[in-house]
C-alpha cells in the first residue's frame, strides 16, 4: 500500500486579528504533518506575530505543542511548521500585535 | 451449485452489509483513506471574496476515529476510521463533503452508506437537540443530448429545530436565484442548501437510535435509489423503514455550460446551537443498474 497523503485547507480567506485559531482537525492516521501558513494579504506589523501548533486529547481542550514560527510579514509570505507525534488532533493558534490583520490560507499537509 | 453475484457479495464482509445494484461504481471504505471525498469550496473568480459566505464556512472533511474525552476511540462499523463532516460552532451554520464523478449510463443508481451524528461533547448532558440536521444530495446534470437540466435531489433528517427534537425526513425543491461570479461570464453560483424550502416527506417521521450520552453513537444504514434517465427519486430506506419517493421532486434548474453528465455526491450537517456538530460516514457504496 502507498502511504496515505492528504492536503487539507483548514483556513481560507478569513480576517485574523489579535488571537485566532483554526478549526480542530482530526488526523490520528498521520504520523507527520506540515502547516503551510500563506498570507493572502498582510496589513500592519503581521511579521511580529507568532504561529503555534496546538494538540489536544479530545479536540476540545488544547495545549501548545512547542513548534512555532513567525507569521509572514507580507502577502505571499509562507510560514512552515513541521510536527510529528501529535496524537489525534491538530490546530494552529496565531497571535498578532495590535494593528495587524492577516488574511491567511492554511494548508495542512499530512502523511501516514 | 451455481454461484450468483449476490452470493459472492454476501460472502464478502465488506459488501454483505450493502445491497448494491449490478455494477458497483465506487465503494468507499474510509479505512483505505479519503476515497475522493473532499471539501466543497464555493465558486469564485479573480478574488476569494466573491465566494458565497455559506460556502466559505464549509470545513475540510476529516478521517476520524470517533474519539471522545470520556471513553476514548469509538471507531467505525468494521474498522477504525470514518469520514467526519464538522461544522463550525455557530447556530444555523452548515458543513459538507463532496465526491465528484460523472455518469456513463443514464439509468437507476443506488447510494448506500452507514452514518451517525452527534454534537461536540462540550457539555455533560445528552444534547440531542444541538444537531439541526444531517443529509445528503446529488448534484446532477443531464448529458448534453438529454433535456438540458441540472437536477439536485436533496434529503435531510431534520433532527431538531428551535429546541424541539423533531426527527423527520425532509426534501427540498427550491434554491436561490443564480448569481454571476466575477466578470468573465463563465461562473455562477446558487445556494441550494440555503435554509429555506424544506418540506416533509409524507410519513417521514423516524425515531433513530440516539443513545444516552453525547459520546455514545450507533450506526444507521441508508439507501437512496434514483433514476438518472427520468431524473426522478424512486425510494429510500433508513434502517427498518422504507419511503416511497416517486412523487418527491428535486431542485431543477437549467443546465450549465460545463457540467454535462455530472454526478456529484454531497453529505452535509447543520448546527442548531453554537456548538460544532459532526456527521460521520463509515462507508459508502454507489452502484448502478448497468
Amino acid at each position: 500500500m502507498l502511504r496515505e497523503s492528504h492536503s487539507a485547507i483548514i483556513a481560507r480567506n478569513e480576517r485574523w486579528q489579535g488571537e485566532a485559531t483554526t478549526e480542530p482537525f482530526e488526523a490520528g492516521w498521520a504520523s507527520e504533518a506540515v502547516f503551510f501558513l500563506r498570507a493572502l494579504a498582510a496589513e500592519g506589523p503581521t511579521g511580529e506575530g507568532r504561529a503555534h501548533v496546538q494538540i489536544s486529547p479530545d479536540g476540545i481542550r488544547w495545549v501548545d505543542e512547542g513548534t512555532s514560527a513567525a507569521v509572514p510579514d507580507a502577502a505571499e509570505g509562507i510560514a512552515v511548521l513541521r510536527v510529528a507525534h501529535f496524537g489525534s488532533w491538530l490546530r494552529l493558534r496565531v497571535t498578532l500585535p495590535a494593528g495587524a490583520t492577516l488574511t491567511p490560507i492554511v494548508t495542512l499537509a499530512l502523511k501516514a | 451449485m451455481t454461484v450468483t453475484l449476490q452470493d459472492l457479495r454476501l460472502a464478502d464482509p465488506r459488501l454483505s452489509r450493502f445491497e448494491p445494484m449490478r455494477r458497483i461504481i465506487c465503494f468507499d471504505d474510509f479505512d483505505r483513506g479519503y476515497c475522493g471525498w473532499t471539501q466543497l469550496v464555493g465558486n469564485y473568480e479573480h478574488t476569494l471574496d466573491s465566494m458565497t459566505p455559506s460556502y466559505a464556512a464549509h470545513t475540510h472533511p476529516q478521517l476520524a476515529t470517533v474519539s471522545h474525552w470520556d471513553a476514548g476511540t469509538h471507531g467505525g462499523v468494521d474498522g477504525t476510521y470514518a469520514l467526519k463532516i464538522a461544522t463550525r460552532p455557530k447556530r444555523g451554520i452548515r458543513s459538507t463533503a463532496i465526491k465528484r464523478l460523472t455518469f456513463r449510463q443514464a439509468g437507476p443508481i443506488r447510494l448506500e452508506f452507514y452514518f451517525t451524528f452527534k454534537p461536540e461533547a462540550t457539555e455533560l448532558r445528552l444534547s440531542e437537540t444541538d444537531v439541526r440536521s444531517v443529509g445528503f444530495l446529488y448534484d446532477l446534470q443531464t448529458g448534453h443530448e438529454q433535456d438540458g437540466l441540472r437536477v439536485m435531489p436533496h434529503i435531510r433528517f431534520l433532527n431538531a429545530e428551535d429546541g424541539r427534537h423533531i426527527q423527520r425526513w425532509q426534501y427540498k425543491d427550491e434554491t436561490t436565484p443564480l448569481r454571476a461570479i466575477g466578470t468573465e461570464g463563465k461562473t455562477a453560483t446558487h445556494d441550494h442548501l440555503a435554509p429555506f424550502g424544506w418540506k416533509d416527506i409524507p410519513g417521514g417521521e423516524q425515531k433513530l437510535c440516539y443513545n444516552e450520552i453525547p459520546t455514545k453513537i450507533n450506526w444507521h444504514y441508508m439507501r437512496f435509489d434514483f433514476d438518472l434517465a427520468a431524473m426522478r427519486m424512486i425510494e429510500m430506506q433508513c434502517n427498518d423503514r422504507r419511503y416511497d419517493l416517486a412523487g418527491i421532486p428535486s431542485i431543477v434548474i437549467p443546465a450549465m455550460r460545463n457540467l454535462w453528465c455530472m454526478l456529484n455526491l454531497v453529505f452535509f450537517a447543520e448546527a442548531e446551537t453554537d456548538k460544532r456538530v459532526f456527521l460521520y460516514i463509515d462507508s459508502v457504496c454507489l452502484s448502478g443498474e448497468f
Side-chain angles (χ1 to χ4, degrees), chain A residues 30-65:
Chain A
S31 59
E32 55 186 75
V34 185
F35 289 86
F36 295 95
L37 168 60
R38 175 161 74 99
L40 297 171
E43 300 166 42
T46 59
E48 298 172 19
R50 295 292 295 180
H52 306 269
V53 174
Q54 290 200 304
I55 58 177
S56 170
D58 52 18
I60 299 171
R61 297 153 187 93
W62 296 89
V63 292
D64 286 343
E65 182 268 350

Side-chain angles (χ1 to χ4, degrees), chain B:
Chain B
M1 176 180 164
T2 303
V3 176
T4 67
L5 180 61
Q6 186 183 24
D7 292 334
L8 290 171
R9 286 175 174 173
L10 287 173
D12 182 345
R14 295 170 303 171
L15 288 176
S16 65
R17 64 177 182 269
F18 294 108
E19 301 272 353
M21 291 181 174
R22 181 176 177 277
R23 186 181 304 275
I24 293 172
I25 299 169
C26 58
F27 171 62
D28 301 335
D29 177 348
F30 299 107
D31 290 310
R32 289 188 290 111
Y34 274 87
C35 300
W37 288 88
T38 188
Q39 179 177 171
L40 173 49
V41 68
N43 292 342
Y44 55 87
E45 188 176 87
H46 302 308
T47 170
L48 291 174
D49 292 341
S50 59
M51 191 183 302
T52 302
S54 56
Y55 281 84
H58 294 170
T59 62
H60 203 95
Q62 303 161 54
L63 287 182
T65 55
V66 197
S67 296
H68 296 111
W69 67 272
D70 57 348
T73 295
H74 206 299
V77 172
D78 72 344
T80 301
Y81 294 103
L83 189 73
K84 176 182 183 179
I85 293 105
T87 71
R88 297 168 194 269
K90 184 178 177 184
R91 184 172 196 266
I93 209 163
R94 69 166 191 254
S95 194
T96 60
I98 187 168
K99 177 164 176 145
R100 297 190 174 98
L101 304 171
T102 51
F103 64 82
R104 75 192 221 202
Q105 176 70 37
I109 55 172
R110 172 170 292 175
L111 174 66
E112 297 172 278
F113 57 92
Y114 283 80
F115 73 100
T116 191
F117 57 89
K118 282 286 181 178
E120 192 169 48
T122 54
E123 293 183 281
L124 302 181
R125 52 193 292 272
L126 182 57
S127 311
E128 77 278 16
T129 57
D130 289 344
V131 176
R132 176 173 295 174
S133 82
V134 296
F136 59 94
L137 65 100
Y138 283 139
D139 189 357
L140 309 165
Q141 184 160 306
T142 55
H144 72 277
E145 293 172 344
Q146 283 180 273
D147 298 332
L149 296 175
R150 185 169 172 191
V151 181
M152 307 182 75
H154 283 51
I155 301 286
R156 78 172 180 178
F157 184 71
L158 178 62
N159 178 65
E161 194 167 47
D162 299 327
R164 292 174 296 136
H165 202 195
I166 294 177
Q167 299 184 283
R168 177 183 299 151
W169 292 100
Q170 296 186 315
Y171 69 98
K172 193 176 198 292
D173 60 359
E174 299 175 67
T175 183
T176 60
L178 276 184
R179 178 174 71 86
I181 297 268
T183 56
E184 298 186 10
K186 295 179 179 176
T187 301
T189 191
H190 64 118
D191 192 1
H192 50 90
L193 278 171
F196 68 89
W198 287 100
K199 301 177 177 76
D200 294 344
I201 291 174
E205 297 80 14
Q206 184 165 15
K207 301 297 183 191
L208 291 180
C209 177
Y210 189 80
N211 221 302
E212 295 172 303
I213 56 173
T215 56
K216 292 181 179 177
I217 58 106
N218 290 78
W219 294 98
H220 308 290
Y221 169 74
M222 187 76 205
R223 171 178 63 83
F224 177 66
D225 290 354
F226 190 88
D227 184 354
L228 292 172
M231 285 291 176
R232 302 285 300 181
M233 300 187 204
I234 301 171
E235 186 188 72
M236 73 176 196
Q237 175 180 351
C238 182
N239 291 342
D240 61 339
R241 297 207 63 194
R242 294 178 179 223
Y243 302 91
D244 180 3
L245 302 180
I248 302 297
S250 303
I251 295 171
V252 180
I253 60 176
M256 294 187 171
R257 53 190 260 165
N258 43 14
L259 301 177
W260 304 108
C261 291
M262 182 166 70
L263 171 51
N264 286 353
L265 294 69
V266 175
F267 292 115
F268 62 90
E270 297 174 298
E272 177 61 15
T273 64
D274 291 339
K275 191 186 281 188
R276 294 180 181 88
V277 304
F278 306 137
L279 167 61
Y280 297 99
I281 308 291
D282 176 82
S283 47
V284 182
C285 185
L286 178 68
S287 57
E289 200 57 52
F290 63 95

